[in-house]
Every structure is written in structure tokens, then in C-alpha cells.
Amino acid sequence: MEFRLTEEQEMIRQAARDFARNECLPGVIDRDERQAFAYDQAMKLAELGFMGVMVSPDYGGAGMDTVSYVLAMEEISKVDASVSVCMSVNNSLVAWGLEAYGTEEQKRRYLVPLAQGRKDGRLYIGAFLLSEPEAGSDATSQRTTAEDRGDHYILNGTKNWITNGSSASVYLVMAQTDPAKGSRGINVFIVEKDWPGVTVGAKENKMGIRGSDTHSILFNDVRVPRENRIGEDGFGFTFAMRTLAGGRIGIAAQALGIASGAYELSLAYSKQRSAFGKPISEHQAVQFKLADMATRIEAARLLCLKAAWEKDNGLDYTMSSSMAKVFTSETAMWVTTEAVQVHGGYGYVKEYHVERLMRDAKITQIYEGTSEVQRIVIGRQVLKG
């Protein structure tokens, strides 16, 4: 078993680390306070090839493996999870699904600019539209409808909690075409944001990842060409579940980065802050916190890399991706809470970053499948034997 990274993977990690420190860290607190989407940082991500990390060079991507993607996500998430989630959605939930299941025409028209992250000199990214006001964890309960009109569909409904909601140029939309068939009546469509009948709702005022633009998206008699349906009729739910399995690796990597960032800040602070005549790092109570942080983070990292390795090697990564997500997201929540404690009163103010990391950590236990859903997935896999 080989635990060393390749030279190429090390280069990707270093490039992501440099980007995070040089491009994301300046202004990160201000962007969080203003809920400002990091447009300049997203454009730089595109320039570096991070918007299409795993996409084949045939379609404008970097052609890297999933392990490289995890490494990049961790480094960026250490500094700004709002930037990393923009990258995660575009890679895991949009570009991957298009490359795996889209037609050649769909790939040339949409995947190429998505992988490059730019079109006509402007940011070009995607969003994944599954959740609804009454369909979160229960993704089969789709109320958004797509009425089959022969050469096109008429799309109506509302989607909630959409990451990249206003900044995306293209949406992958899950909609019910035949309610009588239940989940087998769901289809997925490529919808352009500027089409008539598409409306971006108000921006959500969130606790964490405030620099990520989260919106509701409304569809009112939107005409969708038949050629914009992905896969055979009724393939939408399967598409969503397969896409989310890979997406969980990205969110696990994001949670890993949040935890790692909080730990690194705590370690550095513990060596600088003195109490009772010596650095607090020399007090056993603080040492034990740092030891537990480091141990849990390392376990989480190995789970993330195992899931990525399985995906890269064509193995079934359903259980490993769910294990990585549930363990890493809960690790992130625990580590960031402890990080605030290590910092004491300073941990409660924005200047020291850890309070933001704690707020950012919480969503990793919720989006792209809650911790409870992950345990359902794992339980079912365990019972299969």
C-alpha cells in the first residue's frame, strides 16, 4: 500500500495552497461579513484549471485524478470554504455528471466552458438543482415538473438552497415528468440561466459560507429543448444519486480543509499565547486538545483519500464516500469548536478566523446529504454484506 503522493499531486497541492494564501486570505473576513461572492477568486480558479480538475483535456479540463481534487479542495478550504464550495459544485455535481452521461453535443456546448470556468472573458460555472421547499433529504418528492411537449419540455417549479445560484450560467435541473412513475419519472435537464421564465430568488442570509451565493431558483413555463435532457427518459433520479456519491467526496474534502485550517491556527496560537508563565502549548490540557485534533484530522484525511482512490480506480465508492463525508464533517464541527476554545476570548472574534471556520463547518453536516442520510447509506451497504 502506497501512502506517498506523486510529484504531480504534490504540485497540485502546492498550487492550491499558494492560491489560498495569496488570493483567498486577503479580504476573506470582509467577504464573509458582506456575503460577497468571490468573483475574482473564482476567475483565478478558472485560470489555474481548478474549475475542471477531473475533466478530460478533450473537453477543456485539467485531466487530474480525484486524489488531486481532494488535495486542492483541502488547501483552499483551510482559508475560504465559500470559494472551495463554488469549485466543488462545478467539478463534482455539474462537470462530472455532464462528462459521464451527457451527449457529445452537450459536452461541446456546455462542458467545455464549464471545465474552463470561463466563456467570452467572463466566469462560466454551473449549479445543481435538486432540493426543493418540500424535497430535501427525500429527493424523490420532486414538485418541479417538466411537461413533455414532443420536441421540448415546459418546466415549472421552485428549487431551494442552490449553491452558485446567481453566479452560475447553467443549471442541471431535476424535474418530475411522470408522477405516476415516482422516482423513475424524474428527468434531468440542462437549463441556461438567461432563458425566459428563469428567475433567481433572493439571496439566503446564512450562518456560514456566507461568501457563497445561495438562492432559490424559480421556473415559470420555461421552454427546454428535448436535446437538453441528459440520458434516457426517467434517468434523472439515478443521475442525481450517482452524482451526489462523488459530490460527497468533495464536501468531505472541504470539511477536512476547514478542520485542518482550524487546527493549524490553534497550533500556531498555542505557541504564541502564554499563561501562568509559559506558552499554553506546554499545558497538558491544551496539548491533549491538539493531539485529539491531529488524530481525528488524520483519520478523516485517510477516509477522504480512500474514497478518492476507489473512485479513480473504478471501484464502488458509495459507502466510502458516505463514510468520508459523515466522519469528516463531524470532525470539522468538533475541531473548530475546540479551536475556538483554544483561542479563548480571541477565538470569539472575527480577526482570528476560527469563529468563521466553526460557522462554515456546520453546513458540511447538512448539504449534499445530511449526516443522518449518510448513515442510512452506510447502513444499507453494511447489510448487503
Side-chain angles (χ1 to χ4, degrees):
M1 186 174 291
E2 181 62 73
F3 283 92
R4 288 178 296 183
L5 300 175
T6 66
E7 184 178 347
E8 186 177 63
Q9 289 165 346
E10 290 281 12
M11 289 174 61
I12 291 293
R13 180 164 67 177
Q14 188 60 52
R17 183 177 296 164
D18 291 343
F19 165 77
R21 291 174 177 174
N22 298 330
E23 303 291 338
C24 295
L25 186 56
V28 64
I29 294 173
D30 179 63
R31 291 194 301 274
D32 175 76
E33 290 181 335
R34 294 188 295 110
Q35 297 191 81
F37 178 73
Y39 184 89
D40 291 342
Q41 287 74 19
M43 286 292 286
K44 183 68 173 180
L45 276 175
E47 180 183 326
L48 292 170
F50 284 132
M51 283 301 189
V53 176
M54 299 174 289
V55 177
S56 167
D58 294 339
Y59 300 108
M64 301 295 178
D65 58 11
T66 313
V67 170
S68 297
Y69 170 57
V70 165
L71 297 172
M73 279 291 297
E74 179 185 359
E75 292 300 327
I76 296 168
S77 301
K78 286 180 182 180
V79 175
D80 193 345
S82 295
V83 172
S84 70
V85 75
C86 172
M87 169 181 160
S88 176
V89 168
N90 198 66
N91 274 279
S92 298
L93 299 186
V94 181
W96 183 86
L98 270 172
E99 185 169 19
Y101 301 110
T103 64
E104 189 64 25
E105 180 184 354
Q106 290 169 349
K107 293 175 186 179
R108 293 296 170 191
R109 183 173 180 181
Y110 297 108
L111 180 58
V112 170
L114 285 167
Q116 295 174 341
R118 291 175 294 180
K119 185 178 181 180
D120 300 327
R122 297 183 60 81
L123 184 68
Y124 191 93
I125 58 176
F128 184 83
L129 281 64
L130 176 64
S131 294
E132 298 184 359
E134 296 183 27
S137 294
D138 181 10
T140 61
S141 300
Q142 297 289 303
R143 299 286 182 88
T144 297
T145 60
E147 183 182 349
D148 192 344
R149 296 284 185 88
D151 65 343
H152 68 279
Y153 292 82
I154 297 297
L155 187 66
N156 284 284
T158 300
K159 294 292 183 178
N160 274 21
W161 317 116
I162 306 306
T163 302
N164 297 345
S166 65
S167 56
S169 299
V170 62
Y171 301 138
L172 298 189
V173 184
M174 266 45 70
Q176 182 62 260
T177 302
D178 188 347
K181 293 182 179 179
S183 63
R184 296 186 179 183
I186 297 172
N187 279 298
V188 55
F189 303 93
I190 305 168
V191 177
E192 297 180 28
K193 186 179 73 173
D194 59 1
W195 283 353
V198 178
T199 302
V200 177
K203 189 175 189 176
E204 301 290 352
N205 188 1
K206 307 188 301 292
M207 176 174 73
I209 58 165
R210 289 168 58 82
S212 168
D213 58 321
T214 306
H215 294 257
S216 293
I217 309 296
L218 295 79
F219 303 101
N220 182 23
D221 289 339
V222 178
R223 182 187 176 100
V224 182
R226 194 173 195 85
E227 57 266 27
N228 275 40
R229 188 187 75 196
I230 298 176
E232 298 296 321
D233 187 33
F235 181 65
F237 184 74
T238 299
F239 175 91
M241 294 303 102
R242 291 178 182 175
T243 303
L244 284 170
R248 286 163 186 156
I249 298 175
I251 299 304
Q254 180 189 44
L256 173 63
I258 293 170
S260 298
Y263 164 72
E264 290 176 4
L265 288 168
S266 299
L267 180 61
Y269 179 81
S270 73
K271 295 177 180 179
Q272 298 164 3
R273 175 70 171 177
S274 293
F276 305 104
K278 58 184 178 181
I280 64 172
S281 60
E282 295 183 19
H283 292 285
Q284 194 175 62
V286 174
Q287 288 180 5
F288 280 5
K289 288 183 184 297
L290 294 171
D292 286 342
M293 285 182 190
T295 301
R296 295 194 191 192
I297 288 169
E298 187 63 14
R301 181 176 290 112
L302 291 172
L303 280 172
C304 287
L305 292 173
K306 179 177 183 287
W309 180 86
E310 288 184 351
K311 185 171 183 287
D312 286 335
N313 285 273
L315 303 175
D316 183 359
Y317 55 92
T318 303
M319 184 162 72
S320 62
S321 66
S322 287
M323 284 182 168
K325 185 180 183 296
V326 69
F327 185 82
T328 308
S329 62
E330 293 184 359
T331 294
M333 197 68 237
W334 182 84
V335 168
T336 54
T337 302
E338 289 293 273
V340 171
Q341 192 71 17
V342 168
H343 281 74
Y346 291 104
Y348 209 67
V349 297
K350 295 182 183 298
E351 180 184 353
Y352 286 77
H353 297 286
V354 288
E355 64 84 28
R356 172 174 49 81
L357 291 171
M358 185 175 74
R359 288 186 285 108
D360 288 349
K362 184 58 194 174
I363 191 60
T364 66
Q365 295 178 297
I366 299 171
Y367 61 11
E368 293 193 34
T370 63
S371 292
E372 291 75 18
V373 166
Q374 302 316 310
R375 289 184 166 91
I376 291 172
V377 173
I378 295 165
R380 287 172 179 170
Q381 293 294 313
V382 167
L383 291 172
K384 283 182 179 179

